[in-house]
Amino acid sequence: MYVAVKGGEQAIENAHLLLASERRGDPAIPELSLAQISEQLTLAVDRVMTEGSIYDRELAALAIRQARGDLIEAIFLLRAFRATLPRFGASEPVDTGAMAIRRRISATFKDLPGGQILGPTFDYTHRLIEPDAADAAPQVPAVVDAVEEPMPRVTDLLAADNLIERSPARDFDAPVGDLTREPLSFPAERDVRLQNLARGDEGFLLALGYSTQRGFGRTHPFAGEIRLGEVEVEFVAEDAGFAVPLGRITVTECQMINQFAGSATEPPRFTRGYGLTFGHCERKAMAMALVDRSLRARELGEDVKAPAQDEEFVLSHSDNVQATGFVEHLKLPHYVDFQAELGLVRKLRSDFERGASPDALAEAAE
Amino acid sequence: MATPEFGPDTKNAALIEMRREAMRLLASADARALAQRVAALGDLPAHDNVRRPESGLVMVRGRIGGDGAPFNLGEASVSRAAVRLASGELGFGYALGRDTEKARLIALCDALIQSEAYRDAVADRVLSPVRAEREAQEKLSRERTAATRVEFFTLVRGED
């Protein structure tokens, strides 16, 4: 436990001034504009929007600059900003089937309606650092005539043959769980788990997803489909009396297809894990889908043995703002606590020197 | 999508669909260009703010598996406004982002669309150019995307 301390105002103010100056760096170098961050550090902005849980490119760019590029600090800034705005309500669920697609790949079907579209991807690059070419001409993307073709989700194709489980049906009477309104409780329903994972730390989910691949709660996943693009957001505005379009947002969706579940009465079918993020957060969407599936162990009658299957472990530790708060609070003054510990270790040492038994020492330390 | 039932009033339904289409275009339009186009409409009827333009959040929902029960993905910043013309038409403006002036302009356009005296001017001089710009952008994006369409070939292993 830490206790309040007094004093230090001048030093704190000076530290913040120094921070502002370090943040700005060499004043001879032009300051980054928000448009530069938003346009050129796109994926950092996408991550901060997803984990900060506010879709607003300009705000995320502002937070990244203020945080000196520390993305977790930027996410923290977005979460704090959230508290200053009123909530108008909830949108209609976005329709990822109607997405204006910019990337769409499947690792399960080579030929699928609508085709495989690489889009803007790091895949198949050689990961060689290119020399600085600041004055090189901008790269112009190639164009070919686009054919209008429907792009059904891969899971819909499998569902047509009844080879994959259906998504849980919408119950219009059931409220949608919301972690920003009610604290997490267990067991957690899938809507709450997905909200938690969508806000969760990419690195944490990546490691957990990886752990399931290495055998800690194996789920035999295939990337059924990953799609990136723009979806329309609509909001039923009570004043207008109808669903008003709010504009388009970029999202990344991942459908994992996993090994079978069946029972005495149900034929074996593929099971599913789902990932959805703001912006282009492909690694995060894939990790989220892996962890969503592994957290369904209880529902699918699998043994819960691995960390990635333990919903209390996963959901309680996925939020990097909470995690950083608790880890970093250790650097706040703990002087009183520590004085008590210091007193205790001195007493133990004097007992030890007087030849007390190990058992008595252990008891005194408790 | 979720347009409420207005019974057999098809004229009203058609007007709402027209307003929704205008809102869809204007919500993704560039705010500065929109302001210039509205200013270029010339003399507009007297109007005032019924709802002071404000920014807030809307919780964006996805669906489990893309087609199942809804879940809360995360919030988005949204601005909104409501404008009433002196002749009584009430317009609403909503747009992603924190630009409250853009929301006010959308509300103004929504009110003008409901006025027979201004509907055509807004359609021709605001909505048409915005639609043309958006269609050009979308076409370019589709063509660039199409150029990355890939045909994978499966190599047969261990034959011959």
Side-chain angles (χ1 to χ4, degrees):
Chain A
M1 189 181 87
Y2 71 96
V3 291
V5 288
K6 291 204 299 182
E9 287 87 353
Q10 189 62 53
I12 290 169
E13 194 185 321
N14 291 345
H16 291 169
L17 275 174
L18 184 58
L19 170 70
S21 152
E22 298 262 317
R23 181 196 72 70
R24 178 60 184 85
D26 182 350
I29 295 177
E31 184 168 36
L32 269 177
S33 73
L34 298 183
Q36 283 174 324
I37 296 171
S38 178
E39 289 293 307
Q40 296 171 39
L41 298 178
T42 330
L43 302 186
V45 170
D46 288 346
R47 180 172 177 188
V48 169
M49 293 197 303
T50 296
E51 295 174 32
S53 208
I54 300 182
Y55 194 99
D56 187 321
R57 298 199 71 79
E58 192 191 55
L59 196 62
L62 200 58
I64 289 169
R65 188 170 70 181
Q66 185 179 328
R68 308 174 69 192
D70 178 339
L71 298 189
I72 292 183
E73 181 72 18
I75 289 160
F76 199 157
L77 291 171
L78 242 64
R79 296 273 188 93
F81 182 83
R82 182 189 167 272
T84 66
L85 290 175
R87 166 93 64 95
F88 296 160
S91 80
E92 293 298 291
V94 295
D95 182 4
T96 53
M99 182 186 286
I101 285 187
R102 289 194 287 126
R103 171 167 164 80
R104 188 260 200 145
I105 54 166
S106 170
T108 52
F109 294 102
K110 186 165 62 71
D111 301 305
L112 72 167
Q116 306 252 8
I117 292 158
L118 296 180
T121 181
F122 292 127
D123 296 350
Y124 313 107
T125 63
H126 297 294
R127 266 72 182 214
L128 297 173
I129 292 181
E130 292 161 15
D132 187 18
D135 39 355
Q139 302 268 307
V140 181
V143 293
V144 302
D145 285 342
V147 188
E148 287 289 339
E149 213 180 331
M151 292 201 198
R153 298 186 196 91
V154 165
T155 43
D156 297 343
L157 301 174
L158 281 168
D161 294 333
N162 210 17
L163 290 175
I164 195 165
E165 62 176 348
R166 306 264 167 194
S167 297
R170 182 172 190 178
D171 174 359
F172 284 88
D173 297 327
V176 182
D178 187 355
L179 290 170
T180 66
R181 295 290 166 92
E182 309 105 38
L184 192 59
S185 64
F186 301 103
E189 293 300 317
R190 195 157 171 214
D191 56 353
V192 167
R193 298 201 303 256
L194 283 170
Q195 183 184 14
N196 175 288
L197 298 179
R199 295 157 61 91
D201 183 75
E202 176 174 316
F204 181 70
L205 298 188
L206 178 67
L208 283 172
Y210 181 41
S211 74
T212 68
Q213 292 180 281
R214 292 194 61 258
F216 290 83
R218 202 180 283 283
T219 59
H220 305 276
F222 289 94
E225 182 174 338
I226 294 160
R227 53 170 65 193
L228 157 74
E230 281 67 48
V231 292
E232 295 276 350
V233 184
E234 293 197 344
F235 171 66
V236 177
E238 282 177 16
D239 49 6
F242 54 88
V244 299
L246 300 180
R248 288 171 294 182
I249 62 170
T250 304
V251 295
T252 306
E253 180 183 61
C254 175
Q255 305 269 4
M256 282 292 175
I257 299 176
N258 304 73
Q259 227 172 44
F260 328 112
S263 66
T265 53
E266 291 273 326
R269 277 189 295 198
F270 285 110
T271 57
R272 305 167 62 160
Y274 187 67
L276 185 67
T277 71
F278 287 150
H280 190 183
C281 296
E282 194 162 303
R283 186 189 300 120
K284 163 71 180 271
M286 293 182 75
M288 177 175 170
L290 287 174
V291 177
D292 171 48
R293 174 59 185 79
S294 62
L295 288 178
R296 296 180 60 209
R298 177 170 49 87
E299 171 199 345
L300 293 170
E302 297 163 346
D303 291 340
V304 176
K305 292 181 296 195
Q309 297 169 313
D310 180 337
E311 65 175 31
E312 188 164 352
F313 177 78
V314 173
L315 302 181
S316 303
H317 300 112
S318 61
D319 191 296
N320 53 26
V321 175
Q322 282 173 8
T324 204
F326 205 53
V327 168
E328 293 201 50
H329 104 284
L330 287 174
K331 66 195 172 186
L332 297 175
H334 282 70
Y335 307 136
V336 176
D337 263 10
F338 189 69
Q339 286 304 316
E341 299 264 315
L342 206 53
L344 178 60
V345 81
R346 286 201 171 108
K347 179 178 179 300
L348 288 171
R349 284 181 66 103
S350 72
D351 291 351
F352 175 80
E353 277 151 21
R354 280 188 284 102
S357 74
D359 284 352
L361 285 174
E363 201 173 300
E366 280 304 313
Chain B
M1 265 169 74
T3 310
E5 300 282 334
F6 279 88
D9 187 353
T10 49
K11 190 175 165 218
N12 194 12
L15 179 61
I16 286 177
E17 215 28 64
M18 183 192 295
R19 291 171 62 195
R20 274 171 39 82
E21 171 63 10
M23 289 170 166
R24 189 179 71 85
L25 287 169
L26 298 179
S28 328
D30 175 67
R32 203 181 309 168
L34 176 60
Q36 284 165 359
R37 294 214 165 90
V38 171
L41 286 173
D43 284 341
L44 293 177
H47 56 271
D48 50 24
N49 292 338
V50 183
R51 184 201 290 285
R52 200 168 50 83
E54 60 173 345
S55 294
L57 297 167
V58 164
M59 177 57 89
V60 177
R61 287 186 171 158
R63 286 177 182 271
I64 299 172
D67 58 353
F71 71 95
N72 288 315
L73 172 62
E75 287 162 310
S77 62
V78 171
S79 297
R80 67 177 175 188
V83 167
R84 193 194 304 272
L85 304 186
S87 45
E89 290 84 357
L90 184 55
F92 299 98
Y94 282 84
L96 292 172
R98 283 163 297 126
D99 187 342
T100 51
E101 175 60 11
K102 179 177 174 182
R104 193 191 68 80
L105 289 168
I106 294 174
L108 178 58
C109 288
D110 182 46
L112 292 171
I113 287 170
Q114 297 170 62
S115 153
E116 299 212 353
Y118 291 92
R119 182 174 303 155
D120 291 346
V122 173
D124 295 345
R125 287 152 67 190
V126 180
L127 299 180
S128 286
V130 168
R131 185 183 295 111
E133 255 170 41
R134 174 162 168 166
E135 282 172 1
Q137 270 173 14
E138 285 177 346
K139 178 168 182 286
L140 181 62
S141 175
R142 277 199 307 272
E143 289 174 349
R144 287 175 169 180
T145 300
T148 69
R149 182 167 172 158
V150 66
E151 304 291 341
F152 286 118
F153 298 97
T154 320
L155 299 179
V156 181
R157 286 181 293 191
E159 299 289 313
D160 79 16

